[in-house]
Amino acid sequence: PHLTDSFAIASQEQTTLSGLSTKPPFVINSVIEKAEHLPVLKEGYYIVEDSSYTAMFSPRGVIYTPVTSGGVTLDPFSLRVSQIGTSSGDTFWNQEQVIKPQQKENTLVYKRTQDIDEVYDLLSKGVEQSWVFRKKPGFSASSDLRIIMDVKTSLFGKATPQMGLEFVDGRGTPYVKYSKAVIRDAEGKILEAAPSWDAGTSRIVL
């Protein structure tokens, strides 16, 4: 999945460690994109600057700010996103810990638990957000697994016909887009899901 203009992909992925991996082919465009989106560590924050956005990654979350075609950074329309936790039925796993992200090339990883990673890939199309579950986190088979994120912004969130979210100003102009979630299990099965926006609590729920 990808984001069209600004923010992130929400995708959940359950991987398996069995089997042999093959080395991917050399793709020059991928190499260039990685080189152009390497985050810089400044005063404890990882920062990446693109022609359409800037993103700052701290132990407490991510601040995403859109940039106009003229190069103006729109600080009043930024989004600060931080993960609150994961839930299933009556069970809740608190994940508000202060965690320093780990960097590898143009990817930053928050290790939420031993078996759950929150991953950000920094790309020209936006910031791609995903989760990797190395094993089932103990949720109930009769209840949905939910990922809950707190959002701080002056913009207003609303659902889109493409199963995503967009954040608009008081006149309805969109500044940040958040795509639908694509879930892939260890067997490669694909399921699409729409994130929901709770205006009362200012939260995104997957």
PDB file of all heavy atoms in Angstrom, residues 38-48 55-59 100-103 108:
ATOM      1  N   LEU A  38      18.126   9.203   3.865  1.00  0.00           N
ATOM      2  CA  LEU A  38      18.808   8.752   5.074  1.00  0.00           C
ATOM      3  C   LEU A  38      18.525   9.739   6.196  1.00  0.00           C
ATOM      4  O   LEU A  38      18.777  10.939   6.062  1.00  0.00           O
ATOM      5  CB  LEU A  38      20.313   8.649   4.835  1.00  0.00           C
ATOM      6  CG  LEU A  38      20.795   7.554   3.879  1.00  0.00           C
ATOM      7  CD1 LEU A  38      22.297   7.654   3.686  1.00  0.00           C
ATOM      8  CD2 LEU A  38      20.404   6.179   4.406  1.00  0.00           C
ATOM      9  N   PRO A  39      18.007   9.276   7.334  1.00  0.00           N
ATOM     10  CA  PRO A  39      17.747  10.189   8.444  1.00  0.00           C
ATOM     11  C   PRO A  39      19.042  10.661   9.089  1.00  0.00           C
ATOM     12  O   PRO A  39      20.044   9.934   9.117  1.00  0.00           O
ATOM     13  CB  PRO A  39      16.913   9.331   9.412  1.00  0.00           C
ATOM     14  CG  PRO A  39      17.301   7.925   9.096  1.00  0.00           C
ATOM     15  CD  PRO A  39      17.621   7.890   7.633  1.00  0.00           C
ATOM     16  N   VAL A  40      19.020  11.882   9.593  1.00  0.00           N
ATOM     17  CA  VAL A  40      20.173  12.482  10.256  1.00  0.00           C
ATOM     18  C   VAL A  40      19.874  12.583  11.741  1.00  0.00           C
ATOM     19  O   VAL A  40      18.787  13.017  12.139  1.00  0.00           O
ATOM     20  CB  VAL A  40      20.475  13.877   9.681  1.00  0.00           C
ATOM     21  CG1 VAL A  40      21.634  14.525  10.418  1.00  0.00           C
ATOM     22  CG2 VAL A  40      20.783  13.775   8.187  1.00  0.00           C
ATOM     23  N   LEU A  41      20.797  12.175  12.583  1.00  0.00           N
ATOM     24  CA  LEU A  41      20.618  12.225  14.030  1.00  0.00           C
ATOM     25  C   LEU A  41      21.054  13.596  14.536  1.00  0.00           C
ATOM     26  O   LEU A  41      22.202  13.996  14.407  1.00  0.00           O
ATOM     27  CB  LEU A  41      21.429  11.122  14.708  1.00  0.00           C
ATOM     28  CG  LEU A  41      21.262  10.979  16.221  1.00  0.00           C
ATOM     29  CD1 LEU A  41      19.821  10.654  16.583  1.00  0.00           C
ATOM     30  CD2 LEU A  41      22.203   9.897  16.760  1.00  0.00           C
ATOM     31  N   LYS A  42      20.083  14.334  15.117  1.00  0.00           N
ATOM     32  CA  LYS A  42      20.340  15.666  15.668  1.00  0.00           C
ATOM     33  C   LYS A  42      19.735  15.767  17.063  1.00  0.00           C
ATOM     34  O   LYS A  42      18.522  15.653  17.224  1.00  0.00           O
ATOM     35  CB  LYS A  42      19.735  16.760  14.768  1.00  0.00           C
ATOM     36  CG  LYS A  42      20.337  16.853  13.375  1.00  0.00           C
ATOM     37  CD  LYS A  42      19.682  17.980  12.602  1.00  0.00           C
ATOM     38  CE  LYS A  42      20.259  18.086  11.187  1.00  0.00           C
ATOM     39  NZ  LYS A  42      19.587  19.170  10.409  1.00  0.00           N
ATOM     40  N   GLU A  43      20.583  15.948  18.056  1.00  0.00           N
ATOM     41  CA  GLU A  43      20.139  16.162  19.433  1.00  0.00           C
ATOM     42  C   GLU A  43      19.160  15.082  19.903  1.00  0.00           C
ATOM     43  O   GLU A  43      18.150  15.371  20.547  1.00  0.00           O
ATOM     44  CB  GLU A  43      19.513  17.552  19.579  1.00  0.00           C
ATOM     45  CG  GLU A  43      20.468  18.684  19.242  1.00  0.00           C
ATOM     46  CD  GLU A  43      19.831  20.052  19.379  1.00  0.00           C
ATOM     47  OE1 GLU A  43      18.622  20.117  19.677  1.00  0.00           O
ATOM     48  OE2 GLU A  43      20.548  21.049  19.197  1.00  0.00           O
ATOM     49  N   GLY A  44      19.444  13.838  19.539  1.00  0.00           N
ATOM     50  CA  GLY A  44      18.615  12.729  19.992  1.00  0.00           C
ATOM     51  C   GLY A  44      17.419  12.425  19.121  1.00  0.00           C
ATOM     52  O   GLY A  44      16.651  11.505  19.417  1.00  0.00           O
ATOM     53  N   TYR A  45      17.232  13.167  18.015  1.00  0.00           N
ATOM     54  CA  TYR A  45      16.112  12.950  17.104  1.00  0.00           C
ATOM     55  C   TYR A  45      16.648  12.550  15.736  1.00  0.00           C
ATOM     56  O   TYR A  45      17.641  13.116  15.261  1.00  0.00           O
ATOM     57  CB  TYR A  45      15.266  14.221  16.941  1.00  0.00           C
ATOM     58  CG  TYR A  45      14.635  14.724  18.203  1.00  0.00           C
ATOM     59  CD1 TYR A  45      15.305  15.606  19.050  1.00  0.00           C
ATOM     60  CD2 TYR A  45      13.348  14.339  18.558  1.00  0.00           C
ATOM     61  CE1 TYR A  45      14.720  16.080  20.209  1.00  0.00           C
ATOM     62  CE2 TYR A  45      12.742  14.809  19.709  1.00  0.00           C
ATOM     63  CZ  TYR A  45      13.449  15.670  20.529  1.00  0.00           C
ATOM     64  OH  TYR A  45      12.862  16.133  21.675  1.00  0.00           O
ATOM     65  N   TYR A  46      15.976  11.602  15.082  1.00  0.00           N
ATOM     66  CA  TYR A  46      16.264  11.304  13.686  1.00  0.00           C
ATOM     67  C   TYR A  46      15.366  12.176  12.816  1.00  0.00           C
ATOM     68  O   TYR A  46      14.149  12.219  13.012  1.00  0.00           O
ATOM     69  CB  TYR A  46      16.003   9.836  13.371  1.00  0.00           C
ATOM     70  CG  TYR A  46      17.089   8.903  13.843  1.00  0.00           C
ATOM     71  CD1 TYR A  46      16.923   8.125  14.979  1.00  0.00           C
ATOM     72  CD2 TYR A  46      18.293   8.814  13.139  1.00  0.00           C
ATOM     73  CE1 TYR A  46      17.930   7.263  15.410  1.00  0.00           C
ATOM     74  CE2 TYR A  46      19.309   7.957  13.566  1.00  0.00           C
ATOM     75  CZ  TYR A  46      19.111   7.192  14.700  1.00  0.00           C
ATOM     76  OH  TYR A  46      20.108   6.345  15.120  1.00  0.00           O
ATOM     77  N   ILE A  47      15.971  12.868  11.861  1.00  0.00           N
ATOM     78  CA  ILE A  47      15.230  13.799  11.012  1.00  0.00           C
ATOM     79  C   ILE A  47      15.488  13.466   9.551  1.00  0.00           C
ATOM     80  O   ILE A  47      16.626  13.212   9.146  1.00  0.00           O
ATOM     81  CB  ILE A  47      15.640  15.256  11.296  1.00  0.00           C
ATOM     82  CG1 ILE A  47      15.322  15.616  12.754  1.00  0.00           C
ATOM     83  CG2 ILE A  47      14.936  16.217  10.348  1.00  0.00           C
ATOM     84  CD1 ILE A  47      15.853  16.974  13.180  1.00  0.00           C
ATOM     85  N   VAL A  48      14.420  13.460   8.743  1.00  0.00           N
ATOM     86  CA  VAL A  48      14.557  13.310   7.296  1.00  0.00           C
ATOM     87  C   VAL A  48      13.789  14.446   6.636  1.00  0.00           C
ATOM     88  O   VAL A  48      12.709  14.832   7.091  1.00  0.00           O
ATOM     89  CB  VAL A  48      14.035  11.941   6.808  1.00  0.00           C
ATOM     90  CG1 VAL A  48      12.544  11.788   7.046  1.00  0.00           C
ATOM     91  CG2 VAL A  48      14.358  11.731   5.326  1.00  0.00           C
ATOM     92  N   ALA A  55      10.084  14.715   8.532  1.00  0.00           N
ATOM     93  CA  ALA A  55       9.648  13.815   9.594  1.00  0.00           C
ATOM     94  C   ALA A  55      10.729  13.759  10.662  1.00  0.00           C
ATOM     95  O   ALA A  55      11.916  13.672  10.345  1.00  0.00           O
ATOM     96  CB  ALA A  55       9.358  12.423   9.050  1.00  0.00           C
ATOM     97  N   MET A  56      10.299  13.834  11.916  1.00  0.00           N
ATOM     98  CA  MET A  56      11.217  13.765  13.048  1.00  0.00           C
ATOM     99  C   MET A  56      10.809  12.604  13.941  1.00  0.00           C
ATOM    100  O   MET A  56       9.645  12.483  14.325  1.00  0.00           O
ATOM    101  CB  MET A  56      11.207  15.074  13.834  1.00  0.00           C
ATOM    102  CG  MET A  56      12.187  15.086  14.999  1.00  0.00           C
ATOM    103  SD  MET A  56      12.368  16.720  15.757  1.00  0.00           S
ATOM    104  CE  MET A  56      10.741  16.915  16.487  1.00  0.00           C
ATOM    105  N   PHE A  57      11.754  11.746  14.260  1.00  0.00           N
ATOM    106  CA  PHE A  57      11.497  10.530  15.028  1.00  0.00           C
ATOM    107  C   PHE A  57      12.184  10.652  16.385  1.00  0.00           C
ATOM    108  O   PHE A  57      13.402  10.782  16.459  1.00  0.00           O
ATOM    109  CB  PHE A  57      12.010   9.303  14.278  1.00  0.00           C
ATOM    110  CG  PHE A  57      11.338   9.089  12.956  1.00  0.00           C
ATOM    111  CD1 PHE A  57      11.733   9.803  11.840  1.00  0.00           C
ATOM    112  CD2 PHE A  57      10.295   8.175  12.836  1.00  0.00           C
ATOM    113  CE1 PHE A  57      11.104   9.614  10.620  1.00  0.00           C
ATOM    114  CE2 PHE A  57       9.663   7.981  11.618  1.00  0.00           C
ATOM    115  CZ  PHE A  57      10.071   8.699  10.511  1.00  0.00           C
ATOM    116  N   SER A  58      11.394  10.591  17.442  1.00  0.00           N
ATOM    117  CA  SER A  58      11.917  10.689  18.793  1.00  0.00           C
ATOM    118  C   SER A  58      11.512   9.448  19.573  1.00  0.00           C
ATOM    119  O   SER A  58      10.687   8.652  19.111  1.00  0.00           O
ATOM    120  CB  SER A  58      11.351  11.941  19.478  1.00  0.00           C
ATOM    121  OG  SER A  58      10.022  11.717  19.912  1.00  0.00           O
ATOM    122  N   PRO A  59      12.053   9.261  20.787  1.00  0.00           N
ATOM    123  CA  PRO A  59      11.621   8.119  21.599  1.00  0.00           C
ATOM    124  C   PRO A  59      10.135   8.140  21.944  1.00  0.00           C
ATOM    125  O   PRO A  59       9.587   7.104  22.325  1.00  0.00           O
ATOM    126  CB  PRO A  59      12.491   8.254  22.860  1.00  0.00           C
ATOM    127  CG  PRO A  59      13.721   8.968  22.390  1.00  0.00           C
ATOM    128  CD  PRO A  59      13.217   9.946  21.376  1.00  0.00           C
ATOM    129  N   LYS A 100      13.919   4.364  21.959  1.00  0.00           N
ATOM    130  CA  LYS A 100      14.716   4.995  20.914  1.00  0.00           C
ATOM    131  C   LYS A 100      14.640   4.157  19.642  1.00  0.00           C
ATOM    132  O   LYS A 100      14.871   2.950  19.677  1.00  0.00           O
ATOM    133  CB  LYS A 100      16.174   5.125  21.362  1.00  0.00           C
ATOM    134  CG  LYS A 100      16.384   6.111  22.490  1.00  0.00           C
ATOM    135  CD  LYS A 100      17.869   6.231  22.822  1.00  0.00           C
ATOM    136  CE  LYS A 100      18.095   7.230  23.938  1.00  0.00           C
ATOM    137  NZ  LYS A 100      19.534   7.361  24.276  1.00  0.00           N
ATOM    138  N   PRO A 101      14.332   4.777  18.507  1.00  0.00           N
ATOM    139  CA  PRO A 101      14.290   4.002  17.261  1.00  0.00           C
ATOM    140  C   PRO A 101      15.680   3.574  16.827  1.00  0.00           C
ATOM    141  O   PRO A 101      16.673   4.250  17.101  1.00  0.00           O
ATOM    142  CB  PRO A 101      13.671   4.987  16.260  1.00  0.00           C
ATOM    143  CG  PRO A 101      14.011   6.339  16.799  1.00  0.00           C
ATOM    144  CD  PRO A 101      14.008   6.203  18.298  1.00  0.00           C
ATOM    145  N   GLN A 102      15.741   2.443  16.140  1.00  0.00           N
ATOM    146  CA  GLN A 102      16.991   1.935  15.602  1.00  0.00           C
ATOM    147  C   GLN A 102      17.004   2.182  14.099  1.00  0.00           C
ATOM    148  O   GLN A 102      16.016   1.930  13.408  1.00  0.00           O
ATOM    149  CB  GLN A 102      17.128   0.436  15.902  1.00  0.00           C
ATOM    150  CG  GLN A 102      17.108   0.121  17.382  1.00  0.00           C
ATOM    151  CD  GLN A 102      17.134  -1.376  17.658  1.00  0.00           C
ATOM    152  OE1 GLN A 102      17.356  -2.182  16.763  1.00  0.00           O
ATOM    153  NE2 GLN A 102      16.891  -1.751  18.912  1.00  0.00           N
ATOM    154  N   GLN A 103      18.123   2.678  13.590  1.00  0.00           N
ATOM    155  CA  GLN A 103      18.213   3.040  12.179  1.00  0.00           C
ATOM    156  C   GLN A 103      19.023   2.038  11.379  1.00  0.00           C
ATOM    157  O   GLN A 103      20.052   1.546  11.824  1.00  0.00           O
ATOM    158  CB  GLN A 103      18.864   4.418  12.015  1.00  0.00           C
ATOM    159  CG  GLN A 103      18.922   4.879  10.560  1.00  0.00           C
ATOM    160  CD  GLN A 103      20.210   5.583  10.219  1.00  0.00           C
ATOM    161  OE1 GLN A 103      21.012   5.887  11.079  1.00  0.00           O
ATOM    162  NE2 GLN A 103      20.420   5.820   8.932  1.00  0.00           N
ATOM    163  N   LEU A 108      13.622   3.146  10.054  1.00  0.00           N
ATOM    164  CA  LEU A 108      13.715   3.302  11.500  1.00  0.00           C
ATOM    165  C   LEU A 108      12.762   2.316  12.157  1.00  0.00           C
ATOM    166  O   LEU A 108      11.620   2.160  11.711  1.00  0.00           O
ATOM    167  CB  LEU A 108      13.367   4.729  11.914  1.00  0.00           C
ATOM    168  CG  LEU A 108      14.405   5.789  11.497  1.00  0.00           C
ATOM    169  CD1 LEU A 108      13.814   7.181  11.576  1.00  0.00           C
ATOM    170  CD2 LEU A 108      15.649   5.690  12.366  1.00  0.00           C
TER     171      LEU A 108
END
